[in-house]
Amino acid sequence: MKSSPTRKYENFSNDHQGKDTDKYSLDSQDTASLHSEEGGRHGPDVSAGAGDMWISAVESSILAWEEVADRLHVDVRRGLSWREANDRMNFVGPNEFQVKEEDPLWKKYIEQFQNPLILLLLGSAVVSVCMRQFDDAISITVAIIIVGIVVSTGERSEFGDIFRMMQAEEAPKTPLQKSMDTLGAQLSLYSFCIIGFIMVAGWLQGKAIQDMFTIGVSLAVAAIPEGLPIVVTVTLALGVMRMAKRNAIVKKLPTVETLGCVNVICSDKTGTLTKNEMTVTMLSTSGGHLAEVSGAGYNSRGELSLRAYKGRDLDVARMAVQTLLEVGVLCNNAEIRDETLYGQPTEGALLAAAMKNDSHHVRDQYTRLHEIPFSSETKMMVVKCGPKFKDSSVKEEVFVKGAIEKVLPLCTHYIDSAGNYAPMTRDKQNDFLSEAYNIGRTGLRVIALGRGQSMESLMYTGVCGVCDPPRPGVRDAVATLRRAGVEVKMVTGDARPTALAVGRHILFLCILCRLKVGNIYKSMGTSLFRHIHVFYRVTPKHKLSIVKSLQRRGNIVGMTGDGVNDGVALKRADIGIAMGRNGTDVCKEAADMILVDDDFATIICAIEEGKCIFYNIRNFVRFQLSTSIAALSLIALATLMGIPNPLNAMQILWINIIMDGPPAQSLGVEPVDHEVVRRRPRDTTRRIISRGLLLSVLLSAAIIIAGTLWVFNREMSDNKITPRDTTMTFTCFVLFDMFNALSCRTQTKSIFQVGLFSNKMFLVAVFMSLVGQMLVVYFPPLQRVFQTEALTGHDLIFLVCLTSSVFIVSEVKKLIERTIKKRSYGKFSTKAHDAMDFV
């Protein structure tokens, strides 16, 4: 809202005669501004007689029901006639949302072929891989409870306003999707260029065009990593399954890997960082009496202990506490039955405190006449109650609870330490604010309470300090994230003292932000924004602005939420995380991941999975690239050197089956390495093929090419191509592939650290591939197809010793890299320690 309208509270009473005297209204000027604002927000300005057809949801929540009925010309006893209802619906529109039309199935099917890898396969005219992955249609069902007159419909309602904002926000593409698109395009381009060069060079050398075309097609199939989409899908699916076992439900496959890239998490406080199990632990009356409340849970176990002060009567203190707790019970919609809470946790905490003082039965003496529910605009709840029985001693009263900065200005008097009525002064207001501030500094949520005959003459009764303890393990989780380079920012609607106290305790912050609500947008464009870790008094729209601002600075943002109003920010974030227990359906629909147990520590497991998935995919890419480069280079060198091709078309296709088959696929299911969570989030601006990865690929490919060409040259001593020559060369290349796959299981650790038998699927895949190779070499029908002949045991021993060199060199390389990294880290730690001593 552009401006907050000034509210006037008029005679909040009811003569029970049907007179329109119940008012909690706005100035006429403020009402006009509300109409103007809502008109700009929801559609054209409604004026003249048509303006009476509807009012905004915000305004209707402030007005009394009699005034709403009068404004809309509604008889609450008879309702509207069918004709009048139809006329109004035709004017303001039906209670429906305009959702974006979904693409037809044929269009979704065609879009699957936009993947450059798939297009390249189709272009080769040999292999056609069609991955039919249809997105599940998302249908939104809106359940409307018809009530206290229809004041607005469809997109003019508050829910519709949020719905429209959600429709306007597009979920960003995941980093993995961007990386795969770039990788596919690059591989396709490079493969086509090399294959085209080989075909043209062979044709210029006078080789048969048909033979060169056959070789070219075989190379295309071998060069294209058509197994990449399958590996990515299977790896992500397994990650989703593992996440489900760890109390995190992931709705979209690419989301799992995104978790490994997140470097900022904006977390809600209540229910995520804390238990959302509210307990009143302290009471402070307007007379300065303090009471400590023991016990936990929504029950009567515990007691109120009044602190004795010199010169203060304990009977007066007990009466003051009773007066304060009565407000908490009557200005309350929650119920506790058999230690089970039905309602909001904060209101349940107030009821539990009253139960410990045996004050909860006060409800039996009153009947509720009117209620103004709590809203983010008013930050307080107001109820009006009257005597339930005619001969009752209780009087008609107004009860108010909410933020102290909203309740205190409405109070004209208070009860002093002696139990007498005293007028409210500016100095006394400052004293009460200071007291509330000191309570909030301890991490307690402060709730102010007041009561009186009308809104114009409320009596301030004091405040309650409500504790919401941190979740077990949340501090360790935050510490782990910070060590891994992930910033955690707490976003809460609590007041500044409470937010800072919780932030200091959970986020380990020494210097906290001094950001106020009004300064949020001003700070969005400054470098100060990235240093802010606690945002307080934040509204849902502020959350959206915070997410967008962080994304504009190149961050991958995770956002947690549980309410309807969090839906827009959850959808906009790179990964929206909803609470499974206390989260609303709208919030879960907008999110990418749902925490079943509402536990913040579960995010650590999710990030661990995300990082492992990316590393597994990169291991697969390393293996595929080294094999592809080796196969292409082998044929290209033979063509340039003018010698016969070491491999025929069928042998190249067999290598492709091994390269994209079980051994390659098993690299994508490497077990989770729990140490990856310590690594910093992946830089999404860097390509998936990093400099280090490319070096490893080229080194492995060079060894495979050199070894295979040496064997081919050694066997072709008579300058004639025989089945034995190609069989030795073919088997040499396949065994090189098997050892290369073994070394690709990890990029940094030794295979002996990871464990030779830790990935059982890999062992099975390699065994099956070796059995298949033996059948190709020794089974007569396959010998004729692949043009091979049987090898001796001596030949196989020689080839195993030679091809293991690619594994040995890789292990030595990783050892050297680990040693250099360890030394560099030791020097850095020493310098940091010296600098710390100097400071």
Side-chain angles (χ1 to χ4, degrees), residues 52-56 60 68 72 74 80 88-89 92-95 144-154 157:
D52 294 334
M53 287 294 188
W54 70 281
I55 59 177
S56 70
S60 65
V68 174
L72 297 179
V74 175
L80 299 175
R88 296 192 180 200
M89 185 180 68
V92 300
N95 189 34
I144 302 297
I145 300 177
I146 304 298
V147 187
I149 301 172
V150 177
V151 296
S152 54
T153 61
S157 65

Side-chain angles (χ1 to χ4, degrees), residues 235-276:
T235 304
L236 292 176
L238 290 175
V240 169
M241 294 172 62
R242 288 195 294 262
M243 286 304 305
K245 295 179 180 179
R246 302 174 84 168
N247 295 321
I249 299 175
V250 179
K251 297 168 59 178
K252 302 174 185 177
L253 289 182
T255 301
V256 186
E257 193 277 332
T258 307
L259 289 160
C261 307
V262 169
N263 57 359
V264 177
I265 294 179
C266 297
S267 177
D268 187 25
K269 178 182 75 70
T270 305
T272 306
L273 297 177
T274 60
K275 290 183 177 181
N276 197 23

Side-chain angles (χ1 to χ4, degrees), residues 504-775:
R504 183 177 291 110
H505 179 67
I506 294 179
L507 304 183
F508 306 97
L509 300 178
C510 298
I511 302 176
L512 298 171
C513 73
R514 297 181 179 179
L515 184 67
K516 296 183 179 179
V517 173
N519 294 332
I520 284 184
Y521 295 106
K522 186 182 296 184
S523 300
M524 290 295 180
T526 66
S527 59
L528 173 67
F529 183 77
R530 66 188 182 92
H531 298 294
I532 297 173
H533 293 84
V534 175
F535 296 89
Y536 57 89
R537 286 298 190 217
V538 172
T539 66
K541 290 183 179 179
H542 290 155
K543 291 184 180 181
L544 178 60
S545 298
I546 291 170
V547 170
K548 286 185 176 180
S549 181
L550 290 168
Q551 289 175 330
R552 282 195 297 268
R553 285 162 172 78
N555 296 291
I556 305 299
V557 183
M559 180 76 199
T560 68
D562 57 2
V564 173
N565 293 334
D566 296 327
V568 184
L570 289 174
K571 184 177 180 181
R572 176 63 190 185
D574 295 279
I575 175 167
I577 305 172
M579 302 297 109
R581 291 181 178 175
N582 298 321
T584 60
D585 290 339
V586 173
C587 147
K588 295 175 185 177
E589 183 69 23
D592 302 298
M593 185 176 78
I594 301 173
L595 301 182
V596 178
D597 53 359
D598 290 9
D599 192 353
F600 184 84
T602 305
I603 299 178
I604 297 289
C605 303
I607 290 178
E608 182 181 86
E609 289 287 347
K611 290 184 177 180
C612 284
I613 286 172
F614 174 77
Y615 289 128
N616 285 348
I617 292 175
R618 196 172 67 169
N619 293 341
F620 169 83
V621 170
R622 174 190 167 186
F623 172 70
Q624 284 244 313
L625 285 181
S626 57
T627 303
S628 298
I629 291 175
L632 289 173
S633 301
L634 194 65
I635 304 300
L637 288 174
T639 303
L640 291 175
M641 295 168 62
I643 62 176
N645 289 325
L647 304 172
N648 59 44
M650 289 302 298
Q651 291 170 352
I652 294 175
L653 291 175
W654 176 254
I655 290 173
N656 176 68
I657 292 174
I658 293 179
M659 183 179 69
D660 287 327
Q665 301 291 326
S666 63
L667 290 175
V669 296
E670 192 70 26
V672 173
D673 182 3
H674 297 289
E675 293 185 8
V676 298
V677 76
R678 302 177 185 174
R679 302 179 188 174
R680 297 186 67 83
R682 176 168 70 90
D683 186 357
T684 56
T685 61
R686 298 178 61 184
R687 298 177 179 178
I688 191 172
I689 305 177
S690 62
R691 182 179 299 178
L693 179 65
L694 184 60
L695 178 62
S696 299
V697 166
L698 294 178
L699 180 61
S700 299
I703 295 173
I704 294 173
I705 294 169
T708 305
L709 281 178
W710 183 74
V711 170
F712 181 64
N713 182 68
R714 175 176 176 269
E715 294 297 325
M716 199 181 63
S717 57
D718 53 359
N719 294 325
K720 292 182 180 179
I721 300 295
T722 64
R724 172 181 168 80
D725 298 341
T726 57
T727 303
M728 284 289 289
T729 307
F730 175 40
T731 306
C732 177
F733 194 98
V734 170
L735 292 178
F736 263 127
D737 248 10
M738 295 298 101
F739 279 110
N740 186 36
L742 180 62
S743 65
C744 288
R745 284 184 55 191
T746 173
Q747 301 293 320
T748 56
K749 292 185 176 181
S750 168
I751 196 64
F752 302 104
Q753 289 178 288
V754 176
L756 282 172
F757 305 101
S758 58
N759 189 345
K760 296 181 180 179
M761 187 174 292
F762 177 82
L763 297 177
V764 173
V766 170
F767 176 77
M768 290 173 57
S769 298
L770 292 176
V771 170
Q773 181 66 20
M774 294 301 101
L775 290 175

Side-chain angles (χ1 to χ4, degrees), residues 303-356:
E303 60 181 11
L304 276 76
S305 302
L306 281 167
R307 297 181 185 176
Y309 289 95
K310 184 178 180 181
R312 296 190 180 184
D313 192 344
L314 282 180
D315 290 336
V316 174
R318 293 190 186 96
M319 184 60 66
V321 169
Q322 174 73 15
T323 302
L324 182 145
L325 289 175
E326 285 181 356
V327 180
V329 172
L330 294 171
C331 192
N332 197 313
N333 287 323
E335 289 187 16
I336 297 177
R337 295 195 295 268
D338 299 327
E339 299 190 16
T340 301
L341 173 65
Y342 299 89
Q344 296 296 323
T346 302
E347 295 188 335
L350 293 173
L351 279 183
M355 291 169 65
K356 295 167 186 175

Side-chain angles (χ1 to χ4, degrees), residues 192-417:
F192 265 136
C193 291
I194 296 175
I195 293 170
F197 169 77
I198 292 174
M199 293 181 66
V200 172
W203 176 69
L204 291 175
Q205 290 178 353
K207 295 182 180 180
I209 297 179
Q210 184 176 358
D211 292 342
M212 295 308 301
F213 180 77
T214 303
I215 291 294
V217 170
S218 300
L219 285 174
V221 176
I224 303 167
E226 66 267 23
L228 182 58
I230 301 173
V231 167
V232 171
T233 303
V234 171
T235 304
L236 292 176
L238 290 175
V240 169
M241 294 172 62
R242 288 195 294 262
M243 286 304 305
K245 295 179 180 179
R246 302 174 84 168
N247 295 321
I249 299 175
V250 179
K251 297 168 59 178
K252 302 174 185 177
L253 289 182
T255 301
V256 186
E257 193 277 332
T258 307
L259 289 160
C261 307
V262 169
N263 57 359
V264 177
I265 294 179
C266 297
S267 177
D268 187 25
K269 178 182 75 70
T270 305
T272 306
L273 297 177
T274 60
K275 290 183 177 181
N276 197 23
E277 295 177 359
M278 302 294 185
T279 303
V280 174
T281 59
M282 180 179 292
L283 303 176
S284 175
T285 69
S286 59
H289 307 98
L290 296 178
E292 294 180 349
V293 186
S294 63
Y298 302 111
N299 52 63
S300 59
R301 291 191 292 272
E303 60 181 11
L304 276 76
S305 302
L306 281 167
R307 297 181 185 176
Y309 289 95
K310 184 178 180 181
R312 296 190 180 184
D313 192 344
L314 282 180
D315 290 336
V316 174
R318 293 190 186 96
M319 184 60 66
V321 169
Q322 174 73 15
T323 302
L324 182 145
L325 289 175
E326 285 181 356
V327 180
V329 172
L330 294 171
C331 192
N332 197 313
N333 287 323
E335 289 187 16
I336 297 177
R337 295 195 295 268
D338 299 327
E339 299 190 16
T340 301
L341 173 65
Y342 299 89
Q344 296 296 323
T346 302
E347 295 188 335
L350 293 173
L351 279 183
M355 291 169 65
K356 295 167 186 175
N357 194 53
D358 199 24
S359 305
H360 59 293
H361 297 298
V362 70
R363 278 185 174 178
D364 299 336
Q365 304 175 31
Y366 287 89
T367 182
R368 183 171 296 186
L369 304 176
H370 188 67
E371 173 188 349
I372 300 176
F374 180 90
S375 69
S376 57
E377 288 82 13
T378 62
K379 290 187 174 62
M380 63 180 178
M381 176 183 179
V382 182
V383 298
K384 182 179 182 180
C385 298
K388 194 170 186 179
F389 308 103
K390 292 183 178 180
D391 56 349
S392 175
S393 59
V394 301
K395 299 179 180 179
E396 199 172 273
E397 271 190 282
V398 176
F399 302 92
V400 181
K401 80 170 189 297
I404 189 168
E405 65 266 23
K406 298 294 182 179
V407 174
L408 196 58
L410 302 178
C411 298
T412 58
H413 54 285
Y414 67 99
I415 300 180
D416 61 17
S417 59

